[in-house]
Amino acid sequence: MGISRATAHKWIRRWRAEGDAGLHDRSSRPRTTPHRTAAAVEEQVCELRRTRKLGPARIGPILGLPASTVHRILTRHRLNRLAWLDRPTGTVIRRYERDRPGELVHVDVK
């Protein structure tokens, strides 16, 4: 069948435990993330980004986090690009958001 013994054993074990339903495709995404950064720390990262406009390399040492973790948090909250923030207020600029696709269609008729 072109598969390893470990994979065949895994499929047989699933079939015995769950029947045909055990052979359907499954997501490889983990069900839980036990070491995810706490929500309070994520809020601090987002607040520093909005108020001081700092990057991950400068936020990390302030909060004791690696820059890669700070970048991941900023990306998750859509704050990873300074160009997406309004400079004076620090709020996220959302351009061209509409309720329905195609709602804002311009037709130039001459």
Side-chain angles (χ1 to χ4, degrees), residues 46 49-50 53-56 59 70-87 90-95:
C46 294
R49 179 61 156 203
R50 285 189 205 103
K53 317 278 189 307
L54 299 176
I59 293 174
V70 174
H71 176 70
R72 198 173 309 121
I73 292 169
L74 292 174
T75 303
R76 186 180 310 133
H77 292 279
R78 296 183 181 170
L79 296 171
N80 56 323
R81 300 277 181 194
L82 275 176
W84 296 347
L85 293 177
D86 184 34
R87 296 250 180 213
T91 57
V92 178
I93 300 171
R94 300 284 182 218
R95 303 185 198 277

Side-chain angles (χ1 to χ4, degrees), residues 2-44:
I3 58 172
S4 67
R5 294 182 82 174
T7 300
H9 178 69
K10 177 175 59 175
W11 289 352
I12 290 169
R13 186 173 29 85
R14 283 185 186 171
W15 181 76
R16 286 182 182 157
E18 303 173 30
D20 289 341
L23 298 179
H24 288 285
D25 287 339
R26 298 177 180 205
S27 173
S28 60
R29 181 176 181 235
R31 291 185 184 92
T32 61
T33 310
H35 298 291
R36 184 173 175 169
T37 308
V41 176
E42 286 193 14
E43 184 57 37
Q44 288 177 337

